[in-house]
Each structure stands twice: as C-alpha cells, then as structure tokens.
Amino acid sequence: MTAIDPTAHLTAEQIEQLGRELDAIRDEVIADRGEKDAAYIRKVISAQRKLELVSRGVLLFSIFPPAWLLGTAGLSVAKIMDNMEIGHNILHGQWDWMRDPKIHSTTWEWDHVSPSEQWKHSHNELHHTYTNVIGKDNDLGYGIMRVDEDQRWHPFHLGQPLWNFLNACFFEYGIAAYDLELGKNLHKRRRKNPEFRARAKAVGRKIRKQVLKDYVIHPLLSGPSFLPTLAATFTANLVRNIWTHSVIMCGHFPEGVQVFERRSIRGETRGQWYLRQMMGSANISGSKAMHFMTGNLSHQIEHHLFPDLPSNRYAEVAVKVRALFEKYELEYVTGPLPKQVFSAWRKVFRLSLPNNKPKVKTPDREQELVAA
Amino acid sequence: MTSTALRSRAWKLLEMVTTPLLPSDYLDLVSPLRAGADLRGRIEAVHPETGDAATIVIRPGRGWRGHTAGQYMRIGVDVNGVRLWRAYSITSPTNRQDGRVTITVKAIPDGKVSNHLVRRAKPGTLIQLDQPTGDFVLPQAKPAKVLYLTAGSGITPVMGMLRDIEFDDVVMVHCAPQPQDVIFRNELHDLVADKKLRLTEVHTDTDGMLDIARLDGLVPDWAERETWACGPAGLLDAAEEHWTEFGVQERLHTERFRPSIVVAGDGGEVTFSATGKTVDADGATPLLDVGEEAGVLMPSGCRMGICFGCVTPLKSGAVRDLRTGEITEAEPGVLIQTCVSAAAGPCDIER
C-alpha cells in the first residue's frame, strides 16, 4: 500500500501458486523433523543452563574486575540465549511436537518480566496474524512510534528517537507493558476491568520474582561482592535488552519493508497471507553465530512464513524461500546487522517529523527500493 | 522449626534463586535419577529374546517404589524426537539384587515404540517411568494349584510371576506361532527340566489356534486351578466364557493388552479450551491423537485404555468409547480417557 505496490506484477493465480510452493517447503521440513532437531534444542537448553550457572558462580567473586567482566559477559549471553533461541521459539510452539512437557509452549516460562502466557497472546496471536497491518499490529512501533509514512503524525512522535532509546534499554518492561496493552488500559474504566487486573497482577508477580532474583538474592549471596554483582546483573539485563530490541527492530522496521491497510487483508487467501509475511519482514545476514544469537530471528522472513517450524531449520529453508523471492521477482530485504539497525533508526528519526503527503512515495524511498 | 519446615523454606529460597526455572531443572543436568526427581530410568542393556522380542534392562531412579509380580509400568521413550508412552509388563522378579527391572518387548508390525525398543534402543538412554501398577497379580495366600494360560507376548507378566514365587504345582499352556517365537523358551524348558513347571506349547502355525474346549485334554484339572490368563482378546473372551460356564469364574484372572476397538462414526469439531485450539476430528481417531496432532500437550499413557494416564475433563459435547461404542456426554466432573474416545459430534476438552 505504499504508492508503488511491489507485488503488483503478480496475478492472483501466481500468488496462490506461490502459496502452494511455500506449503511444500513447510511440509518437507515437518516430514523430516526428528531426533536431530530434538537433540539440538536439548543441547541448547543444557548449554544455556550451564553457562548461566557458571556465570552466576563467577559473579560471586565479582569484587575482582576480571571475574566481573567474565561473569557479566557470560550472564548477558545466557540471558540472550534464554530469551531468543530458547524462549521465543519454544513459546511459538516450535518444539511442541516433541511432546516433552518440559519443553512445551504451554509450560515454558522465560527469564523476562512479561509472563509467557501474555506474551504468547500479543505476539503469536496478534502480531503474527496481523503482521504489519496498521491499526491491527501494534508491533508496528509498539504504539509509541510512527514507522511508516501512512501512519498519522502526532506531536508526540517528535520524541520518538528518545522513546525508542528508552524502550531499548528497558525493553523487557516495554514488552510487559505492551503485552498488557497498558496505554489503552490506563483509562479509569478499563483499569477496573477484573480481567485486566488479573493480568496486571500476574505481571507484577513476575516482575517481583525477576527483580528479587537479579537485584537482591544473587547480590546477597555474593556477600562482599554485593554491589559488583548488582551492577553485573543490571548490565547483563541492559545488554540483553538492547540486543533483543535491535534484532527485533531489524525484523519489520528497515527501509524496504511494506505495511498494509486494514481493508487490504479482508478476505485474504493463504497465498496473500504468505505474500504479506514476505513483504512485511526483513532479515539479517551474517555468520552462524549471529543467527544463533538472534534466536534465528535473523531469518525473520522465514520465521514469519513458518512461525512454528523449529528455528534450527530456518537456515536451510531460507535458501528455498529466497529462490522463490527471485522466481516471483520480489525484494528479499536483508543486510548485515549494523546496516539494518541503522536503517531502522534512520526511519525512526525521519518519521518523528510529519510528512506532507502521506501515500506519496518520497524520493529517498524510491532510491532505496532500486538500490536494495 | 521442624526439619521438614526448614527444608521447605530452603527449597523456597532455592526457587527464588533459580526463577523462572526450578532448582530441579538444574539438578537434572547432573543427576537425573536422584531421589526427588521426576521418575526416570536408564536403559542399561538390551538382550534379544527372539527374532522380534528383546528384554530391556532398566535402572530406575531413586524414587522407584518397586513392583508386585504381574504388574506393568508405563515408560515414556523419545522415538525420533517424539516422546511416546506405552505400558509393558515387568518381567524381572521383585527380589532382584541389583535393583534393576526388566521389561520384555515384542515388536508389533508398525509399532513405533516396540520396534524402537527392540531394534534401536541404546544402553545409556534416559527414559521416563511411572510407578508400577496393575492388579493382575498373585494373591497373598499361596494357591495349591496354578494354571498360567498365555499367548504371544501375554507371557511377559506371567514370566514376572514365574520368576518371583515358586509354587508346588504349576501348569502353563502357552501359544505361539512356532517354537522359535516362544519368548523365554530356554528358561521355561530349564524350569521344566527342574520339575518346577509343566509346560504345554501350542504352536498355532501347525496346531491351529487353541480351542478352549481342548483344555480338558491338556489340563484335566483346570477348573481346580487358580488361573492367570494373558493374551489376545479372542483367547481371553473364550476363557471367560468357559470359566463362567463351569461356574469357576472367580478362579480366572485376566489381563488385556489391547482393547478391541469398534468402528465408530460421527466426529465433529473438537475444542481444546485451555489452549484455545479448535480442529475437526473424525469419529474413528482417538481424541488423544487429535490433540497431539494439533500441538496440544495431552497427558497420555498406555494408549489402549487401561492405565487412565490420559483422563481429561469433558466440558461439553459427547464422545464415543472406541471399544464399546458407548456414548459419554459432558457433565460436571465427567472425565474421559482420550486414548479410546473419539468425537461423537462437537466437543470441548479441557486441555
């Protein structure tokens, strides 16, 4: 729904054919899912737990600077692993097929202040269904930012580079507030809604437990290293928050990603749904380690097409998906992390100011489309 | 403060340290068989018995409470990455010195778990266990005369009994297609040589299926014997009829491994209300399979209707028991066995 529709050259029949080809890719992975995949997630979980244990152990001696550095780095990585490759993906049901009650979307709880139950609703249900539909998908700027020319501008948006920076630093709290739809629910009448109150209470409980663990119990256990341990856990949370925020911004905010109007998804076919996911997501290119640390959300396009396929399979799926992008002459938005982060931030800055003519393509956008 | 209270305080503190995980999540990394852990076992050896049967030696975790001869246990095995639960009779005696237990598994055609255990299971593998259960067991008081009537893998619970307690007068009638299909054949023949057992093998490939009327010829005093029978439904049905006809049905104890499943119709839209999933189900697929297909974490057990490991509240609608065709309608407190129930119209399962 930007001025030039990058999918305009496709006929309805082609879009359905594309859908069938994507279904075939999905079926192939499902038929092949098995022991190796199960071994993979078990290995990752076990590695994460060991890393966290060791890092917390090292932090008991964080009064010594090398121990502080080592422990903080380890804990940061452990927290990123917990949230990204493990938590995000398990909560998507990617590993439910194993029928292991300890690794299942209905039982998993993550190292995050938003209870997994609430996050699953706002993320799996709303965001993944209404991807990039203005007014339906609140991930589009999290309700505090404007990320497309077609969104209405308010003076509030002048501050959005600052909001975005603060959101990055305290991202897990941002997500918790977002999952609660706090903005919408702060009105007096909604605040009293028992259903909202129950959810708010659950968030409160989770925050209390998380804060108690990170900022009271572990520092206390460290004795003379109380303050360094406190600083270490704060730093690890900060690092994890900024990292996940950056990765997630790269998924839908970089230039070249399309947004959609509410009416455009009325009566959407499976093929059209797939196409919207393809045009509404962007990838991050890089090494295996990069893919792992992003929880394979570097394969955001593949993840949005097949949110419940095991994350360790996205890399092989990506080759086939990319071939389909080429076949159907569509733009596969991808790039290295710094480039994508920069692109997303530039958009945040640009759209903090009003644009005169919504729905008309700006010259700089056209250039990017051609260049990318 | 009592030591229990103190321990529970300490545990609470430990939970605060490990939140959102539990202390056991970390302890499992180093000691999965410890006391207090979820019950698990480690496969220590796999011994072939016949061409398609093997005995699995399992070291159970510290929480294992021990079994009574004739009982079965449920085990959860990861087959190609998917955890599947099945029930198997325990074939080891209760007084085994090394604390191991054994099950003896016959690979059935298309059986995912049985084929995996017989042909692919590796020593060292961790499996999930449940405490042993089942009332197909010997009585406290020793009966004077015993008859074991078995067929195929129906010999497994009886072997647990034979190995456990010696009786003065034991007769066994066992059916198998051919001599080489008789599980534990050498051991049985050793018992016969030691005069501890009188054995009749019926080889159904050559002798034909056992006609229960032939029992008079094989074991003339069968009606005086306390009898334990285990095998296919056809044999057990015939035995029950026979024992009832002669008015000695209280002497017959049976164990059914596989329910006879009737062909059911209907089907309908099944809602798993706790997870918010809705799928269409036909009238012949167990709701357990329907749920698992949809990614719902269903409790499961033997998958044959005997262990009640899968019971789940039915909130609305109706289901049909695949064994009897009986319809169960939702009411407060109604639990259904999802492994032998199929949708009989739209229904809502609390999962």
Side-chain angles (χ1 to χ4, degrees):
Chain A
M1 59 159 248
T2 31
I4 288 181
D5 177 2
T7 65
H9 61 286
L10 297 177
T11 66
E13 174 43 38
Q14 276 177 313
I15 293 174
E16 292 323 296
Q17 177 59 29
L18 168 67
R20 284 190 291 274
E21 289 179 60
L22 284 167
D23 277 338
I25 293 176
R26 175 189 164 80
D27 293 346
E28 223 174 289
V29 175
I30 287 184
D32 183 51
R33 223 168 36 179
E35 210 164 298
K36 270 191 195 156
D37 304 285
Y40 169 80
I41 191 65
R42 291 216 167 91
K43 198 171 108 190
V44 173
I45 291 171
S46 141
Q48 189 276 339
R49 286 178 184 168
K50 286 172 189 159
L51 178 62
E52 180 168 355
L53 268 180
V54 169
S55 305
R56 299 256 190 205
V58 169
L59 285 176
L60 296 177
F61 310 97
S62 55
I63 202 159
F64 305 108
W68 188 91
L69 215 61
L70 197 68
T72 306
L75 189 58
S76 306
V77 173
K79 278 180 176 265
I80 287 170
M81 283 167 75
D82 171 275
N83 279 192
M84 306 299 271
E85 182 67 344
I86 301 172
H88 171 271
N89 294 334
I90 289 177
L91 293 179
H92 259 290
Q94 292 183 6
W95 303 97
D96 284 8
W97 58 273
M98 288 163 57
R99 300 181 190 170
D100 181 344
K102 297 208 186 257
I103 310 178
H104 197 275
S105 63
T106 54
T107 60
W108 192 263
E109 195 49 83
W110 54 347
D111 185 0
H112 196 288
V113 296
S114 178
S116 53
E117 204 51 50
Q118 298 191 21
W119 180 82
K120 275 193 293 183
H121 171 72
S122 64
H123 180 84
N124 293 1
E125 247 176 280
L126 301 181
H127 168 57
H128 273 270
T129 313
Y130 301 112
T131 313
N132 285 25
V133 177
I134 293 177
K136 286 272 219 183
D137 177 10
N138 291 327
D139 273 38
L140 222 52
Y142 299 110
I144 53 169
M145 285 189 298
R146 191 170 163 256
V147 292
D148 192 87
E149 274 80 359
D150 290 351
Q151 283 174 301
R152 198 175 293 155
W153 181 86
H154 293 287
F156 174 80
H157 291 126
L158 281 170
Q160 74 178 21
L162 178 64
W163 316 148
N164 199 37
F165 175 71
L166 290 175
N167 191 31
C169 294
F170 302 100
F171 194 46
E172 60 174 329
Y173 293 91
I175 294 285
Y178 166 76
D179 291 344
L180 268 176
E181 297 185 89
L182 202 57
K184 210 164 85 183
N185 283 314
L186 274 183
H187 304 288
K188 229 180 187 174
R189 214 196 280 143
R190 293 221 180 165
R191 238 174 12 206
K192 286 195 180 141
N193 178 331
E195 195 252 350
F196 169 72
R197 291 176 75 106
R199 289 196 296 131
K201 243 186 172 167
V203 175
R205 260 198 311 273
K206 188 81 194 285
I207 291 178
R208 202 162 54 238
K209 279 186 178 174
Q210 292 287 106
V211 166
L212 208 60
K213 168 184 74 161
D214 275 349
Y215 300 129
V216 181
I217 306 229
H218 282 283
L220 276 177
L221 287 173
S222 307
S225 299
F226 180 92
L227 281 178
T229 299
L230 187 82
T233 31
F234 180 79
T235 308
N237 279 330
L238 188 70
V239 168
R240 184 266 317 267
N241 287 347
I242 292 177
W243 175 259
T244 52
H245 176 267
S246 302
V247 168
I248 284 154
M249 272 228 301
C250 293
H252 302 288
F253 296 178
E255 304 284 359
V257 171
Q258 307 296 312
V259 300
F260 307 86
E261 276 179 10
R262 254 179 221 245
R263 59 182 155 80
S264 73
I265 61 161
R266 227 172 275 158
E268 201 176 46
T269 64
R270 183 156 179 83
Q272 287 167 333
W273 183 86
Y274 269 138
L275 189 61
R276 176 158 57 85
Q277 305 303 326
M278 292 166 83
M279 304 319 294
S281 311
N283 280 5
I284 303 166
S285 58
S287 64
K288 271 193 173 167
M290 172 66 86
H291 293 310
F292 179 76
M293 290 304 287
T294 63
N296 276 297
L297 290 182
S298 48
H299 298 299
Q300 186 78 230
I301 297 171
E302 289 74 21
H303 172 59
H304 262 268
L305 291 170
F306 313 115
D308 57 352
L309 286 188
S311 56
N312 61 324
R313 306 304 283 271
Y314 285 147
E316 65 183 75
V317 164
V319 179
K320 297 175 190 168
V321 168
R322 195 160 185 169
L324 284 184
F325 268 84
E326 272 165 32
K327 178 175 166 188
Y328 289 92
E329 294 172 8
L330 298 167
E331 188 201 356
Y332 191 80
V333 181
T334 184
L337 184 75
K339 178 182 162 233
Q340 299 297 82
V341 170
F342 179 74
S343 171
W345 271 100
R346 188 172 54 184
K347 201 187 224 179
V348 168
F349 272 93
R350 194 181 72 230
L351 294 167
S352 65
L353 300 172
N355 45 302
N356 296 333
K357 297 183 205 162
K359 301 192 191 287
V360 171
K361 197 155 49 78
T362 58
D364 105 325
R365 179 158 202 153
E366 185 176 35
Q367 273 169 6
E368 274 154 20
L369 267 175
V370 174
Chain B
M1 200 186 300
T2 66
S3 70
T4 355
L6 203 65
R7 203 179 309 155
S8 109
R9 280 270 177 94
W11 194 252
K12 283 245 166 67
L13 181 72
L14 212 54
E15 279 176 357
M16 285 160 91
V17 171
T18 60
T19 190
L21 299 180
L22 297 170
S24 59
D25 292 325
Y26 290 97
L27 291 171
D28 284 351
L29 290 175
V30 286
S31 180
L33 300 184
R34 72 187 187 282
D38 290 353
L39 190 57
R40 302 183 181 93
R42 197 187 295 283
I43 295 178
E44 297 208 324
V46 179
H47 302 304
E49 295 283 354
T50 64
D52 57 2
T55 290
I56 320 287
V57 182
I58 299 162
R59 181 156 71 94
R62 299 276 295 279
W64 179 254
R65 290 202 288 262
H67 74 286
T68 307
Q71 284 191 314
Y72 64 86
M73 65 176 173
R74 302 199 298 135
I75 67 170
V77 194
D78 293 335
V79 181
N80 201 15
V82 183
R83 179 153 308 163
L84 301 174
W85 285 84
R86 296 289 187 275
Y88 292 106
S89 295
I90 301 171
T91 49
S92 50
T94 52
N95 57 359
R96 196 176 152 124
Q97 292 305 310
D98 60 5
R100 315 298 199 259
V101 287
T102 65
I103 52 173
T104 303
V105 180
K106 183 174 187 291
I108 53 174
D110 301 323
K112 274 187 198 158
V113 176
S114 62
N115 278 290
H116 176 86
L117 286 172
V118 172
R119 308 187 202 287
R120 290 189 55 215
K122 294 260 175 330
T125 308
L126 268 188
I127 57 174
Q128 315 297 312
L129 301 184
D130 257 0
Q131 297 293 352
T133 180
D135 43 21
F136 186 70
V137 294
L138 297 173
Q140 297 284 349
K142 265 192 183 186
K145 293 169 149 193
V146 171
L147 167 62
Y148 294 129
L149 176 62
T150 58
S153 59
I155 197 171
T156 53
V158 166
M159 199 63 204
M161 295 175 173
L162 267 177
R163 285 169 171 169
D164 202 56
I165 298 170
E166 271 182 35
F167 294 113
D168 303 332
D169 183 356
V170 187
V171 179
M172 178 181 230
V173 177
H174 178 66
C175 308
Q178 296 180 58
Q180 64 266 31
D181 298 318
V182 175
I183 308 174
F184 312 119
R185 192 160 193 246
N186 289 341
E187 195 175 336
L188 291 173
H189 284 229
D190 287 347
L191 287 173
V192 171
D194 292 348
K195 302 216 181 317
K196 289 179 179 161
L197 173 73
R198 275 185 286 153
L199 173 70
T200 303
E201 284 182 35
V202 178
H203 300 135
T204 52
D205 274 4
T206 47
D207 309 342
M209 293 301 235
L210 175 70
D211 177 357
I212 206 76
R214 278 174 63 198
L215 203 59
D216 280 330
L218 297 172
V219 191
D221 59 351
W222 65 268
E224 294 163 27
R225 292 177 176 270
E226 202 70 20
T227 302
W228 281 268
C230 184
L235 175 70
L236 300 184
D237 290 346
E240 275 168 6
E241 217 172 282
H242 196 63
W243 261 255
T244 308
E245 194 184 319
F246 286 85
V248 286
Q249 62 269 31
E250 76 284 349
R251 292 216 183 115
L252 178 67
H253 313 273
T254 57
E255 173 97 312
R256 285 167 191 272
F257 280 160
R258 323 193 89 207
S260 46
I261 286 182
V262 298
V263 182
D266 290 324
E269 195 173 71
V270 180
T271 305
F272 297 91
S273 45
T275 27
K277 292 223 163 99
T278 300
V279 285
D280 281 321
D282 61 44
T285 311
L287 289 164
L288 175 59
D289 296 347
V290 172
E292 285 176 342
E293 250 344 272
V296 180
L297 185 62
M298 304 287 287
S300 72
C302 63
R303 291 172 182 269
M304 50 179 105
I306 58 172
C307 78
F308 290 80
C310 64
V311 289
T312 303
L314 177 65
K315 282 179 71 185
S316 72
V319 300
R320 170 177 280 118
D321 189 314
L322 286 168
R323 299 162 300 180
T324 59
E326 190 188 341
I327 300 279
T328 303
E329 281 176 36
E331 263 175 65
V334 163
L335 298 172
I336 53 160
Q337 289 174 276
T338 59
C339 74
V340 287
S341 301
C347 48
D348 185 334
I349 313 286
E350 197 177 306
R351 270 291 144 194

